[in-house]
Amino acid sequence: MSPAKVPAERTATLKDVAEHAGVSPMTVSRALNKPETVSDALRARIDAAIDALGYVQNHVAGALASAGSNVIPVIVPSLSNTVFVEIVAGIQEVAQAAGYQLMLGNTEYDLEREYTAVSTFLGWSPPGMIIAGMRHLDRTRHLLKRWGKPVVETMEFGAQPIDMNVGLSHYKAGEAMAEHLVARGYRQIVFVGCRLDADYRAAQRYKGMDRVLAKHGLARREALSYEEPSNPARGGDALMEVLSMKPKADAIFFANDDLAVGAILRAQREGIAVPKRIAIAGFNGLPFASLVTPALTTIMSPRHEIGRIAAQQLIERISGRTPTKRRVDVSFEMQVREST
C-alpha cells in the first residue's frame, strides 16, 4: 500500500500519519505520548511520516480548541541578549493593546530546537506566529507553510519569506561599516564574532565587509569566531589576540556591541590607544555604546520598531486584512563616534 498523501489545503491528522507509516492510530498515539513503549525503528518510521505530512499534535482538546486563539508564539534565538528582549517588548506593546498575549520560545541558535518549538506551539492552535530569522530546517519551513496561518519572520530582510518579513539587510550593514572604515583610512580590518556558524546574521555582516575589502583591493581574512556566547570579557580577550596574531591590524569590526565595548574597556586597562593604535566598531546600537570612552562607532538596528511592525502585520492578517506590504525593510543607521 502506498503512503498516505494529504491535500495541501488540509491539516494532517493522526490517522493520516498512521496510514503513511503503515501502523494503527493507537500505535502513533503511543509513540507520541509514551515513546518508550515503541521500538526505535518504529518510532523512526512514525517520525518520518510526521515530517513528510507536516503533522502537528493538537494539545488543545475539543471545546477548548479556541483557548489558544489569543496567544501568539514568539520564537527568538536568545532571551539573554538585549537585542531580542527589545524586539519582544515591541511585539508585546502592540499585541497586548489588541488583546493578545505572548508565548515565548528560546532556541539558543539551534535550528533543531527551533523545529521543536514550532511544532509544540502549533499544537496549541495559535492564530499566528512570529519567529526570528529566515533560515530554518526544511521541515520547519514545510510545517509552517502547510499550517497556513500568518507567520512573520523578523530581524533580517529577505526575498523569499514563508509569509511576511520585517527586518534589515545584515549584508548591507556589513558593507556600510566596511566602507566607513576604509573611508577613514583603515586598511587591515578584522572581523570578530561568536558562534558565527549558528549566528548567520553576524556571518552575513562579515560577508558584506569582505566584499567591500575585495572591491578596494585590501587584505581579506577569515573571520575570527569563538564558540562561547558573546560577552564583554570575550571582546577584551579577542582584542589582545588580534593584536598578537595580526600585529598590522588597524581596525576591528565586532559582530556586536557587547564584544566591542569589552574591547574598548580592555584597551583602556592595557594602555592601547583607540582609535590611534586600533579602531573598534560594533553593531546593534545598544545604549551603553555611547557611554564608554572613546564612544563606540556602531550600527543601530531599530529593534523595538521591528517588533512593533511585526506584531501589526500579524494582527492585520489574523483580523482578515491584507497588510500594505508583506516585506518591510526597516534599514539601519550608522552611528559614527570616536572609536573609529
Side-chain angles (χ1 to χ4, degrees):
M1 185 174 67
S2 60
K5 292 184 178 180
V6 180
E9 66 276 7
R10 181 168 73 76
T11 301
T13 65
L14 187 139
K15 183 180 177 183
D16 294 326
V17 173
E19 290 181 1
H20 194 282
V23 298
S24 70
M26 184 175 293
T27 300
V28 174
S29 181
R30 283 208 324 273
L32 292 171
N33 298 308
K34 294 183 178 180
E36 70 279 3
T37 64
V38 301
S39 68
D40 291 343
L42 185 54
R43 180 60 203 260
R45 204 162 88 214
I46 292 170
D47 284 346
I50 288 171
D51 288 345
L53 299 178
Y55 171 73
V56 175
Q57 188 177 11
N58 190 351
H59 300 291
V60 186
L64 296 178
S66 64
S69 62
N70 69 333
V71 177
I72 295 173
V74 178
I75 300 176
V76 295
S78 172
L79 288 173
S80 61
N81 189 324
T82 304
V83 170
F84 299 105
V85 173
E86 291 181 17
I87 289 176
V88 171
I91 294 169
Q92 184 171 23
E93 185 178 303
V94 172
Q96 203 161 24
Y100 293 90
Q101 296 298 324
L102 305 186
M103 181 185 294
L104 295 180
N106 175 16
T107 70
E108 294 292 345
Y109 294 95
D110 185 329
L111 295 184
E112 285 288 349
R113 287 181 63 168
E114 180 186 79
Y115 171 78
T116 300
V118 167
S119 57
T120 299
F121 287 155
L122 294 191
W124 292 97
S125 301
M129 182 178 293
I130 297 175
I131 186 167
M134 299 184 71
R135 183 179 297 182
H136 317 285
L137 296 177
D138 288 343
R139 54 183 173 152
T140 304
R141 181 175 291 275
H142 173 70
L143 195 61
L144 288 170
K145 279 184 170 293
R146 189 174 196 99
W147 180 47
K149 291 185 180 179
V151 176
V152 185
E153 293 165 287
T154 67
M155 280 308 293
E156 62 185 293
F157 184 69
Q160 295 182 313
I162 292 170
D163 183 12
M164 295 175 286
N165 175 217
V166 180
L168 63 130
S169 169
H170 291 264
Y171 187 89
K172 289 182 179 178
E175 288 183 318
M177 183 59 78
E179 291 286 8
H180 162 72
L181 293 172
V182 171
R184 287 292 172 99
Y186 301 107
R187 294 295 180 265
Q188 301 288 332
I189 304 168
V190 178
F191 188 94
V192 175
C194 289
R195 299 197 287 187
L196 294 180
D197 55 338
D199 186 1
Y200 67 90
R201 285 178 290 277
Q204 287 175 342
R205 297 194 287 276
Y206 161 69
K207 289 178 181 177
M209 183 193 90
D210 187 61
R211 194 203 73 80
V212 169
L213 297 184
K215 182 182 78 170
H216 290 283
L218 298 176
R220 300 159 66 191
R221 299 179 175 86
E222 289 294 321
L224 186 59
S225 179
Y226 297 93
E227 288 308 308
E228 67 263 44
S230 294
N231 62 75
R234 169 42 67 194
D237 291 343
L239 169 68
M240 303 310 293
E241 285 192 40
V242 168
L243 292 176
S244 173
M245 296 164 48
K246 309 176 191 301
K248 293 185 178 181
D250 56 9
I252 304 176
F253 178 18
F254 283 96
N256 58 52
D257 291 350
D258 289 351
L259 294 168
V261 165
I264 287 177
L265 295 175
R266 181 68 177 271
Q268 288 178 332
R269 292 200 302 274
E270 302 288 343
I272 300 166
V274 177
K276 187 175 182 180
R277 169 58 186 89
I278 192 161
I280 293 175
F283 178 85
N284 279 325
L286 297 179
F288 58 68
S290 64
L291 303 179
V292 292
T293 303
L296 176 67
T297 290
T298 185
I299 291 178
M300 172 68 182
S301 59
R303 300 170 296 279
H304 192 270
E305 191 62 15
I306 287 173
R308 284 184 52 82
I309 294 172
Q312 289 166 354
Q313 297 280 84
L314 192 74
I315 290 168
E316 278 193 36
R317 285 284 308 286
I318 291 170
S319 302
R321 300 188 298 272
T322 302
T324 305
K325 297 171 72 175
R326 294 179 71 139
R327 297 170 59 239
V328 180
D329 183 356
V330 297
S331 194
F332 52 84
E333 176 188 343
M334 282 286 302
Q335 297 182 328
V336 179
R337 301 191 180 107
E338 293 87 353
S339 72
T340 59

